[in-house]
Amino acid sequence: MIRFEHISKVYENATPHKDVNGVINKGDVVTIIGPSGTGKSTLLRMINGLEKPTSGKIYFNDEEITAPGYDLLNLRRKVGMIFQSFNLFNNLSVLDNLVVPQIDILKLDKITSRERAMETLKKVGLDRQAGKMPNQLSGGQKQRVAIARALVMNPEVILFDEPTSALDPTMVNEVENTIKWLASNNTTMVIVTHDMKFAREVSTRIFYMDEGEIYEEGTPEEIFDHPKRSRTKAFISNERVLDLNIDAEKINPDRINDMIRDFCKSQKLDEKYLYNITSVFEELVLQCILSYKKDAKIAFSVFFNGEFLEYKVKFNGDRHDPLQEDSISVRIIQSNIANYSFRYHPQSDKQNSLKFNSQ
Amino acid sequence: MWNKKKEKKMKMFRKILLVLLLLLPLAGCGSSEKDESVIENIDELNGRNMGCMSGSIFDVLIEKTFPASEIIYFGSRSELLLGLTTNKIDGFVSDEPVAMMMVKQNGEVTYLDEAIGEVNYGICFSNESKDKLAQFNDYLKKLDDSGELETLQEKWINPEGASKKKGEYDLDGRNGTLRCVTTPDAAPFSFVSNNDYQGYEAQLLYGFAQEYGYDIEISTVSFDALLTSVAMNKYDIAFNGIYITEERAKSVNFCTPTYTGRVVAMVRNNAVSESKGFVESIKDSFYKNFIEEDRYKLLLSGALVTVIISFLSIVFGTLFGLLIYIVSTFNRYTKKILDSLQKILSKLPAVVLLMLLFYVVFKKSTIAATIVSIIGFSVIFGFTFYGLLKTGVASIDKGQNEATVALGFEKWIAFFHIIMPQVLKVILDTYLSEVIALIKNTSIVGYVSVSDLTRASDIIRGRTYDALFPLVFVAIIYYLLCTLETAIIKIPFKWYINMKVEYND
């Protein structure tokens, strides 16, 4: 149904795709997983033409959609899409969110589109909310309305771009259950997610993306239980460790915040842990270490052992224990951590090495 | 419930303020404390505060005659008069014909018999109308020789001059039309009475036109723009009892003086202090400013012009703004060009832009000044609306737009059905305050010879020498116009924002 042939995508300072090849068949539920920055979302957005590959071809039902002049409007009417941030139309009621696209795009009349809309809302269990405005709904309900809005257009395939990432953990389930229900009805779907448990449960096939290609693909069992290639193995086993290697000269705090957030999502860690990691990172790395040594190279890793977070931080240079200073930052760190230990080996690697737990 | 109560209170508060505003002129009518000293000759005036119209030629005269006096500048004759009656100044200098009018209108002032100078009056001709100037000078010469000129001067230049009529003239226009312009606030030389142009110079021009086969067309412009409009050849002839000075003669061509008048000093008339009752004086002011010579008609037609210009500018401007917004989305370059235009326009005062448009861009065209004003304000308002649209669209999260693309909406259907209603909701309040700003801004059209509401009040003030009453009245009309127009403009916007595919349970 969908076929990628030698897709590459080149940005000015990054090359997420070098040579992506793959096939998605009718009835498939394909989940795309992989480390951050490997172009999972970009690949998904190429399927309905929101992004264009730098080179390579994409086929939809054996038509080349990357050909110049291809009727993208028509393609997009056959491909539904669910976004991380729901993207409901805020000025329209829940019902009208489903009615207006039918009138404007499918050119159906008001009565038919209203009937179809109510029918679809019933399927996702929201027919009672039809008269509400989007801002009166919870995040989970909003995402279910978005799914209904995609469904009501009768798409041949539905794309999910991190559908639960923006949700409060308590609401992830209702959305995931809706998607599982769709999967049980043989809807063709392509999903990008960080939630490995969900990926395993819902998918018929997994694409593991890394090194600018679909590095390994297979059934959930093959990928999660018996990965064949080294990077897949590392990703699956290291999935529970957040590893940040920071070069002071190229630091990008936004990207690091995203990685911390993704890590908490995938581990289903709640706000408390997210706050712990973010504040330790900001106070210790950004404040204490980088203000002491402007060109520090820092390794920052967090592991969740099921009970608390285990931190390991290393940085190069002369002996310096950042927690010996007396500053607001240090106090904030101390209020967040326990079992602090500091080591320095002047003879061997000249690394300051810190170890501690979350409280 | 609470909100309704609050709303009611606000409305009440507004009404009270409005009434207070109405009462303001009454305060002006009340008698202020009088300086009882009587000034009877020029020497007594030396050392006291003297008023002078800014930009006039009299400050030199004042310095020469009253070396010990301080000069305080005022914007118009009616303000000078007000300054004198409220003791801000002790005297000011005026030409005798106008002084006569002031004394006639306002018993509280008089002028000293002694002349302190002389001034020549003349009519200005544009560079392109030098042939007409020659004809006019011939005409004046003929009148002077026959003694008719003196008869005319006797008719107009006396305290009763402002109640005279120029008579009927039969203009065939076989040799074309004289495009004349005036600021009819200089009785007895040029003024408006019963909605017709009257005055000594008006009659001279009509007589001239009849004899030389011209038709006459008269426009009104504020005095600041009077000479410019002729210097730029926008009009052929300017008349308003203009003093002939060397400086002015450099940019326009004066005819031989139509009259030579004395310059006198105005002072308070403390001798006669017949103090009228409070109610009486209000009645008087009301009659003088609105009823006499059908002056309310002037205000009404001025208000109508203001409504037409502001309303059409808002409608066309809004459509124009939407159009350029659409054009700006075509590509990078159209956006850049429009953005820079917007930046430039937003930094130009509207009056400068309008004068550029009228005296430079449409210099040669015969499009009516009202239409030029509508064009000008439509462009200004269009770019304002364009700026509002840009910020409005930027405030709508990009995700919704992306969702319309992903669903397969056509670009403009999505824009008008999904994005635009939300944008308008965000910008509506700012938009309405821009509407009000525009309505108020139209008060500058007097600079390009449009007789709007402000201009009408200027003309009335020029005749009655009463500053407060017409101004406050005009303020109230503006308030009502703004309220009315925003209420009307709001209707289609609200309708569009709330447009829904109705939900029936």
Side-chain angles (χ1 to χ4, degrees), chain A residues 45 76 90 96 104 114, chain B residues 400 402 405 417 501-502:
Chain A
R45 291 158 63 86
R76 286 169 183 155
N90 291 329
D96 284 346
D104 282 353
R114 210 168 280 162
Chain B
Q400 289 189 54
E402 198 161 54
V405 176
H417 283 185
V501 190
E502 299 118 55

Side-chain angles (χ1 to χ4, degrees), chain A residues 125-172:
Chain A
L126 286 171
D127 47 327
R128 287 167 155 270
Q129 322 288 339
K132 287 197 175 162
M133 299 306 280
N135 59 13
Q136 295 172 301
L137 302 179
S138 72
Q141 289 175 324
K142 280 187 197 169
Q143 196 60 300
R144 278 150 67 200
V145 173
I147 292 172
R149 186 176 64 185
L151 275 181
V152 85
M153 306 297 284
N154 269 338
E156 296 178 31
V157 55
I158 306 181
L159 314 176
F160 291 85
D161 191 358
E162 305 197 25
T164 58
S165 293
L167 291 177
D168 191 279
T170 56
M171 293 173 184
V172 170

Side-chain angles (χ1 to χ4, degrees), chain A residues 45 48 50 73 76-77 79 81 83 87-92 95-96 99-101 103-105 110 114 130-131 149 153, chain B residues 397-411 413-414 417-419 421-422 497 499-504:
Chain A
R45 291 158 63 86
N48 65 353
L50 288 182
L73 280 186
R76 286 169 183 155
R77 286 164 195 186
V79 180
M81 182 148 192
F83 299 87
N87 297 347
L88 295 181
F89 304 137
N90 291 329
N91 59 323
L92 301 178
L95 185 74
D96 284 346
V99 168
V100 171
I103 294 175
D104 282 353
I105 299 166
K110 249 189 211 178
R114 210 168 280 162
R149 186 176 64 185
M153 306 297 284
Chain B
D397 68 304
K398 271 196 262 162
Q400 289 189 54
N401 199 26
E402 198 161 54
T404 63
V405 176
L407 276 164
F409 268 98
E410 276 162 53
K411 186 177 167 191
I413 290 183
H417 283 185
I418 309 284
I419 307 297
Q422 299 183 59
I497 290 169
M499 188 174 54
K500 274 185 190 143
V501 190
E502 299 118 55
Y503 167 68
N504 301 317

